Amino acid sequence: MTQNLVAVSGFVLLFALMLLRVPVGMAMGLVGVTGFGLLAGFGPALKLIGQTSMRTVTDYTFGVIPMFLLMGAFVTNSGMSRELFRAANTFIGHLRGGLGLATIVASAGFAAISGSSVATAATFSTVAYPEMRRFNYPQSFAAGTIAAGGTLGAMFPPSTVLVVYGILTEQDISRLFMAGIVPGVLAVLMYMITIIIIGRLRPDMLSAGQRSNWNERLHALKDVWAPLLLFFFVIGGLYGGLFTPTEAGGVGAGGAFIIGLLRGKLDRQKILTSLLQATRTAAAVFTILIGALLFGYFLTITGTPQKVTAFLGGLGIGPYGVLLLIILMYLVLGCIMDAMAMVILTVPIVYPVILALGFDPIWFAVIVVMTVELGLISPPVGMNVFVIKSVVPELSFARIFRGVAPFIVTDVIRLALLIAFPVIVTWLPSHL
């Protein structure tokens, strides 16, 4: 068999296995080892399994992933999300659609210390959804707002997706974190504007809450010192040169644990739950990562990245035409894969293309994250939608997707802005 035929067959088999519900990491590893064995011999292919697995799980750089995941687990189980939501609601809850606005603001704050889109969506399904329903907000709007707010988890530091992108492309993780801040703030503002517009167009649909006095607001602010302290300590120490990204993850996990204990928010059961939750998630991420590395060896031996670069460059549609094709590919993959799997599978292939076209790799990281996060709320398989459905079983998928539709439009507009004005992404990292 020729290299091209083996490569094409490998991709066909990979997607066939995923459609059959084989775990993504297992599917990539199986196809990668089989394809490598067909071209280079099964002896070397089988040796790759042990070498790659051991090297990945013992690599100091990869230690940043479980550490940030553990920090997010401690934050989630110590109830910081409820305090963030309460504080945001005291300031803007009196506006029309104020509970929706407070959900977006609190989601951004929670995302900045958990780094997980799925965790953000799951948490606010239990925190914000009951409150919005108590004030007769439509189910579709409440669910759509929570699903959209959950996508902020991958944009703000410490984003696990940006960490994996940085490891795969050998880009500075600190610069990637900085690159996500302005687009993240822009996302929050545009989501809030979307809610305000919905409130203006449908004033009967969204109610306004009571205005809180300044004593109530200051009292609510006292409850959010913990997440603010944790965020500024971890991120400030990272950019102040006190510790590396991996050390920042360890400090963040330790800080979240100590704060939870001192505030009496973490008991033995919650600590155990956090450890198990972080271990399971880390195991899933490392399984995907090892599978992707094995698949990457297969792609390398077939010369697929170089051939893809030459093919796309020869289409004659210009750099932005190629970029549009890559974005469309991510949107399609988002229907069948989760964000982490998409990044790990595709970045080794499209990254050389982006460099050849002259695009900034830091800027492209934010475009990738935005696009894969859009897949988390896009039909038919939006991961955040499934998470909300699992937490609130009485909601139908159709109702959730209907509620999230305005935010999808907002995301498309934001993506166009970031492509048209790359300085939105590159300005802050360039001042490091």
Side-chain angles (χ1 to χ4, degrees), residues 155 162 165 176 178-181 183-184 361-371 414-415 418 425:
M155 192 63 71
L162 284 176
Y165 178 95
L176 289 171
M178 290 292 280
I181 292 176
I362 300 290
W363 168 81
F364 181 67
V366 174
I367 297 299
V368 168
V369 169
M370 251 215 70
T371 308
R414 177 162 51 104
L415 183 60
L418 297 183
V425 177

Side-chain angles (χ1 to χ4, degrees), residues 25 32 71-72 77 105 118 126 140 162 172 185 212 229-230 248 314 318 368 382 420:
M71 182 180 79
N77 291 298
V105 173
V118 172
T126 60
S140 58
L162 284 176
D172 189 325
V185 172
S212 301
L229 174 65
L230 185 62
V368 168

Side-chain angles (χ1 to χ4, degrees), residues 189-236:
L189 294 176
M190 292 184 70
Y191 282 165
M192 294 177 71
I193 291 171
T194 301
I195 293 173
I196 292 171
I197 292 173
I198 293 173
R200 292 285 178 88
L201 296 177
R202 300 285 302 276
D204 58 319
M205 191 171 76
L206 303 181
S207 62
Q210 289 185 336
R211 182 186 293 271
S212 301
N213 59 46
W214 279 103
N215 285 333
E216 292 171 325
R217 292 174 178 176
L218 292 175
H219 180 73
L221 281 179
K222 292 179 182 177
D223 293 332
V224 301
W225 68 267
L228 289 176
L229 174 65
L230 185 62
F231 176 78
F232 286 112
F233 181 60
V234 172
I235 302 303

Side-chain angles (χ1 to χ4, degrees), residues 37-384:
L38 288 173
L39 296 174
F42 283 96
L46 292 175
K47 288 181 181 179
L48 276 179
I49 300 175
Q51 293 172 353
T52 303
S53 302
M54 182 58 68
R55 187 170 63 249
T56 302
V57 298
T58 58
D59 192 315
Y60 175 77
T61 306
F62 288 135
V64 67
I65 297 174
M67 288 296 98
F68 276 132
L69 289 173
L70 183 58
M71 182 180 79
F74 282 138
V75 165
T76 301
N77 291 298
S78 61
M80 292 185 189
S81 57
R82 192 173 299 277
E83 293 161 355
L84 287 167
F85 178 72
R86 190 183 303 119
N89 191 40
T90 60
F91 279 87
I92 55 180
H94 63 281
L95 302 175
R96 187 168 299 280
L99 287 175
L101 297 173
T103 300
I104 294 298
V105 173
S107 295
F110 186 76
I113 48 177
S114 74
S116 170
S117 297
V118 172
T120 304
T123 301
F124 282 91
S125 294
T126 60
V127 172
Y129 183 80
E131 283 296 303
M132 284 193 272
R133 290 298 295 147
R134 190 163 68 88
F135 283 86
N136 296 318
Y137 281 48
Q139 287 182 321
S140 58
F141 173 84
T145 301
I146 293 168
T151 64
L152 299 170
M155 192 63 71
F156 286 105
S159 166
T160 308
V161 178
L162 284 176
V163 167
V164 171
Y165 178 95
I167 292 172
L168 293 175
T169 60
E170 298 182 354
Q171 291 293 323
D172 189 325
I173 294 175
S174 301
R175 287 171 58 84
L176 289 171
F177 281 172
M178 290 292 280
I181 292 176
V182 175
V185 172
L186 180 63
V188 173
L189 294 176
M190 292 184 70
Y191 282 165
M192 294 177 71
I193 291 171
T194 301
I195 293 173
I196 292 171
I197 292 173
I198 293 173
R200 292 285 178 88
L201 296 177
R202 300 285 302 276
D204 58 319
M205 191 171 76
L206 303 181
S207 62
Q210 289 185 336
R211 182 186 293 271
S212 301
N213 59 46
W214 279 103
N215 285 333
E216 292 171 325
R217 292 174 178 176
L218 292 175
H219 180 73
L221 281 179
K222 292 179 182 177
D223 293 332
V224 301
W225 68 267
L228 289 176
L229 174 65
L230 185 62
F231 176 78
F232 286 112
F233 181 60
V234 172
I235 302 303
L238 179 62
Y239 294 114
L242 295 179
F243 30 73
T244 66
T246 303
E247 292 166 346
V251 168
F257 176 71
I258 293 171
I259 289 173
L261 284 180
L262 292 177
R263 301 176 71 216
K265 300 291 186 179
L266 287 176
D267 55 25
R268 179 178 297 180
Q269 183 58 45
K270 288 183 178 179
I271 293 171
L272 180 60
T273 300
S274 300
L275 292 171
L276 289 174
Q277 180 181 326
T279 301
R280 288 180 184 133
T281 307
V285 171
F286 274 95
T287 300
I288 295 173
L289 191 55
I290 292 169
L293 291 173
L294 292 172
F295 191 71
Y297 287 121
F298 164 60
L299 295 179
T300 300
I301 201 172
T302 59
T304 299
Q306 295 82 1
K307 292 171 184 176
V308 170
T309 302
F311 172 74
L312 292 176
L315 290 177
I317 56 176
Y320 285 95
V322 174
L323 179 65
L324 179 60
L325 287 179
I326 293 173
I327 290 173
L328 291 175
M329 175 198 71
Y330 276 116
L331 292 177
V332 172
L333 288 177
C335 296
I336 58 174
M337 299 175 68
D338 62 72
M340 187 67 69
M342 274 193 285
V343 170
I344 293 174
L345 172 63
T346 60
V347 164
I349 300 173
V350 301
Y351 183 70
V353 179
I354 292 301
L355 292 182
L357 293 173
F359 289 118
D360 187 316
I362 300 290
W363 168 81
F364 181 67
V366 174
I367 297 299
V368 168
V369 169
M370 251 215 70
T371 308
V372 299
E373 290 299 298
L374 182 55
L376 289 179
I377 57 175
S378 299
V381 191
M383 186 66 69
N384 280 10

Side-chain angles (χ1 to χ4, degrees), residues 125 129 138-148 376-379 382-408:
S125 294
Y129 183 80
Q139 287 182 321
S140 58
F141 173 84
T145 301
I146 293 168
L376 289 179
I377 57 175
S378 299
M383 186 66 69
N384 280 10
V385 173
F386 274 83
V387 170
I388 294 172
K389 170 68 175 175
S390 67
V391 178
V392 190
E394 67 266 21
L395 282 170
S396 67
F397 286 116
R399 195 180 295 273
I400 302 174
F401 280 124
R402 186 162 62 248
V404 87
F407 298 100
I408 293 177

